[in-house]
Amino acid sequence: MRFFCLRMALSGFTLWYGVSAMAQSDSIQTIKPAADTVLVSTAPRLIGTVNELVKGRRVPLVGATVRWAETSTGTVTDSAGRFYIQMQPAGSQLIVSYVGYQADTLRVASPAAELTVTLRAEQTLQEVTVSGAPGQIDRINPIQTELITQRTLAKAACCNLSESFETNASVSVSYSDAVTGAKQIQFLGLGGQYVQTNVENIPTVRGLATAFGLNYIPGTWITSIDVGKGAGSVVNGYESMSGQMNVELQKPDSPDKLFLNGYVNSFGRLEGNANWSKLLSKTWSVGVLGHASTLRSELDQNNDGFRDLPLYTQFNAINRYKYSSERFMAQFGVKALYEDRDGGQLSRFGSSRYGFGNTTRRLEFFSKTARLYPEKPYKGLGLILNGLHHEQTANFGYRPYQGQQRTFYANLIYQSIIGNTNHTYKTGLSYLLDDYREQLGSRQTSRTESVPGIFVEYTYTYPEKLTLVLGGRFDYHNLYGGQWTPRAHLKYNLNPNLTLRASAGRGFRVPNPFAENFGYLVSSRAVFLDGSLRPEISWNYGLSVTNDFELLGKKSSLVLDYHRTDFQNQLVVDVEHPRELHFYNLNGASFANSFQVELNVQPVRRFEVKAAYRLFDVRQSMGGPFGEERLLPRMMVSRDRVLLNAGYALPFDKWKFDATLQWNGPRRIPYLGEGYVHTSYANMPTDFAPGFYNLNAQVSRAFRSGWEIYLGGENLTGFRQTNPIVGAADPFGPDFDAGARVWGPITGRMIYAGFRFKPQL
């Protein structure tokens, strides 16, 4: 739960709004801009570009390291080869380096002019390569964080955040049921509610937005996504349990003044997006992001009488302003969203049809202000404010639902040094107010959470070798008392190319049973809240190794990581009873083990390949309130997943070709055999869905005029689950269930086309 990040350089402090939420736990001696974002310095800064020469023409180098000599103040270049770094005293030496290239050292006297650096290949290499690997691990952050840039996002249509992870091995996205169209993510073997998902460090996909929140962030607004594994920084709050994601959007002072996008697919979906930004003066800038999309064609590929995708219309916009001066910076804006969904049986069933409807109205205000100290650049003070009003009305057949969420969030952050910049700290105060009102049928629930908190985070840096971050926060919850959240992160460079990371931390969150499990409500199940639900508490431990190396003279990387999440308490969602849905507290063990290995290589020039394997061991105790307890594999979680992504680009990205093949292994699903009556967890039969392949591909053509057109397809293997709905012939009968047995794609092959337009400056 955060809006922006205060990052302190070894000899300078920088406040910027485009930084990753996960990077807050990084050493605040370092400065790392999120890919494709504009950095705003709190003191004079140096801006530059790092290139290589290809046939006499300069080509940007992505991921080059830029740092000041004899310090750990550093950054990496973004997808355009640009970097932004805090100025040092006149005459300081700047070192620019990249694997396979000769490092360059420059003496910089003034930040007035933009710097251009061209690196030359080592003499042992026969050719040089632009490296924009499909997966990039943040070299500076002690938390294992993958940077997803605009270049990676462009490998697919990426219509919204839920469709931004097709080439990502860590995040899986699937439909939660066969009616609502809601998508859910899996991360480290757990659902998306355990990932702290922010937009520009503002809490976004949480509360009542859990079910559809991923669809509320258009892909063309996104400039980068940071995906971090394990517990995040205590500065960001206490809700990160398995990981954290931060999404960066186009800024008001972006050099890209205009961007237009259009999209259409074979299912009848239409979409349009527009991004606009303008400098009003030396200190003021304004930006507008707009989105409109709709689907009005009924689709029923398995002839079960239900729409495979709901009809929907969405309007979404952001209006934001930014002020920047030597001693003060501010950013504020308004977000507004309206969405209407209509799913269920086909229109031909008339007034007797089983229908699902959902209307969401969402209004949000945010502001970020900072007091700057140019004479003491290691010092900074910032205040974050956010207000949200979310209204949602829905119906599941004849069962109505109403939900309202009002949220206020504030975070005051101060940072400075202890003696010298090898010892830095952040401290501050936070406050979260959540007011929830929900009604499902005749059942009403409401709660008001008031949570003041205090936090401190200390960072020790041994330049070029070690970064240690120790953090703790104490929050007093008006309903559940005091909560202590300790977290620790370690990054150790075994050598310049081999990095070891370790982490441990506690997470705490209050679940929303109805909003987080919308898919299970599309059924005839009776809903039971067994006992007074308590907050979820977990501990996460992680270990990872990252190795950058050269293979056949090309930049390559190998990443291995292991994470374990242990729950002290968890909301158990029990659908083992065929006609009942139970929510209750964990009584026993619940854990998730995640192991992943990922290899990124460039076999030949401009040809990128990613291969990854992921193994989950996720188990949860079931049946505690009923006097039985059985440790079972968690439902809908594939033990194995294999991903292979390949991309090829012609010089200057004139043509780009991308393809991703995934294999998703078998997963446990509830046993709902005909005539089955649940009598005992100990003797309960188990059922597993089969594994399946999925293939996505895209080709795009760019023109010098700024136009780009693309053509692609999803689920090109055509695999789909033929009967995802139980009892579809009698949706008002006792056995109807459209959520508990959905394990694979509901729709078959889909073809899409679109355009992007960015005027050339």
Side-chain angles (χ1 to χ4, degrees), residues 174-355:
S174 61
Y175 285 106
S176 64
D177 60 90
V179 171
T180 68
K183 290 188 176 181
Q184 60 185 3
I185 66 172
Q186 285 185 357
F187 191 70
L188 301 188
L190 298 169
Q193 66 270 31
Y194 299 110
V195 180
Q196 191 170 27
T197 303
N198 291 358
V199 174
E200 297 183 341
N201 302 319
I202 298 173
T204 300
V205 184
R206 64 182 297 272
L208 301 191
T210 302
F212 300 108
L214 295 176
N215 297 318
Y216 296 161
I217 306 172
T220 54
W221 294 4
I222 300 172
T223 59
S224 67
I225 307 172
D226 286 2
V227 182
K229 293 186 176 182
S233 168
V234 294
V235 177
N236 302 328
Y238 50 81
E239 291 187 324
S240 171
M241 301 178 80
S242 64
Q244 56 284 305
M245 291 194 299
N246 186 64
V247 181
E248 291 295 328
L249 308 182
Q250 179 172 300
K251 307 297 184 291
D253 55 356
S254 169
D256 297 328
K257 306 303 181 185
L258 178 67
F259 178 81
L260 301 175
N261 166 253
Y263 169 93
V264 62
N265 69 24
S266 56
F267 295 159
R269 176 176 171 181
L270 297 172
E271 180 172 318
N273 299 278
N275 304 348
W276 175 78
S277 60
K278 181 178 177 61
L279 291 174
L280 300 176
S281 66
K282 292 182 179 180
T283 56
W284 282 96
S285 57
V286 61
V288 177
L289 306 178
H291 167 88
S293 61
T294 187
L295 173 64
R296 310 311 305 171
S297 302
E298 291 189 315
L299 183 71
D300 182 16
Q301 294 183 332
N302 63 351
N303 298 314
D304 63 357
F306 275 76
R307 297 169 180 169
D308 294 336
L309 297 172
L311 310 185
Y312 85 98
T313 299
Q314 183 186 122
F315 299 102
N316 200 345
I318 300 177
N319 184 18
R320 60 198 303 186
Y321 297 85
K322 190 171 185 178
Y323 174 83
S324 178
S325 68
E326 184 181 9
R327 294 184 176 274
F328 184 77
M329 284 198 301
Q331 184 177 183
F332 57 91
V334 177
K335 302 179 182 181
L337 176 138
Y338 171 85
E339 185 185 71
D340 181 74
R341 290 173 177 256
D342 184 3
Q345 286 184 299
L346 300 172
S347 300
R348 61 182 173 84
F349 287 90
S351 59
S352 63
R353 65 184 287 266
Y354 180 96

Side-chain angles (χ1 to χ4, degrees), residues 344-485:
Q345 286 184 299
L346 300 172
S347 300
R348 61 182 173 84
F349 287 90
S351 59
S352 63
R353 65 184 287 266
Y354 180 96
F356 162 76
N358 184 84
T359 300
T360 301
R361 295 176 177 86
R362 187 176 172 94
L363 185 65
E364 184 176 355
F365 168 80
F366 65 92
S367 72
K368 314 171 187 179
T369 56
R371 172 69 169 91
L372 314 178
Y373 300 87
E375 68 281 1
K376 297 180 179 180
Y378 51 80
K379 184 178 178 181
L381 178 67
L383 175 64
I384 308 163
L385 299 173
N386 176 243
L388 167 69
H389 181 81
H390 179 110
E391 287 187 358
Q392 193 168 339
T393 59
N395 64 279
F396 306 91
Y398 296 136
R399 181 160 52 185
Y401 169 87
Q402 288 185 333
Q404 183 183 90
Q405 175 186 348
R406 290 175 293 181
T407 295
F408 173 76
Y409 173 74
N411 201 10
L412 180 67
I413 307 170
Y414 174 79
Q415 66 176 31
S416 188
I417 62 174
I418 304 174
N420 61 60
T421 52
N422 287 341
H423 305 272
T424 65
Y425 69 91
K426 300 177 186 177
T427 187
L429 304 171
S430 67
Y431 180 68
L432 174 65
L433 177 66
D434 277 328
D435 183 68
Y436 294 102
R437 298 288 184 270
E438 290 185 277
Q439 181 172 351
L440 178 65
S442 60
R443 183 188 299 272
Q444 295 184 2
T445 63
S446 63
R447 74 176 189 275
T448 299
E449 299 180 43
S450 178
V451 191
I454 184 171
F455 59 86
V456 62
E457 184 175 81
Y458 164 77
T459 301
Y460 169 73
T461 300
Y462 185 85
E464 309 297 331
K465 200 70 176 178
L466 173 70
T467 301
L468 174 65
V469 181
L470 300 175
R473 63 177 297 132
F474 178 81
D475 298 272
Y476 185 79
H477 199 290
N478 64 311
L479 302 179
Y480 304 108
Q483 299 292 329
W484 167 247
T485 305

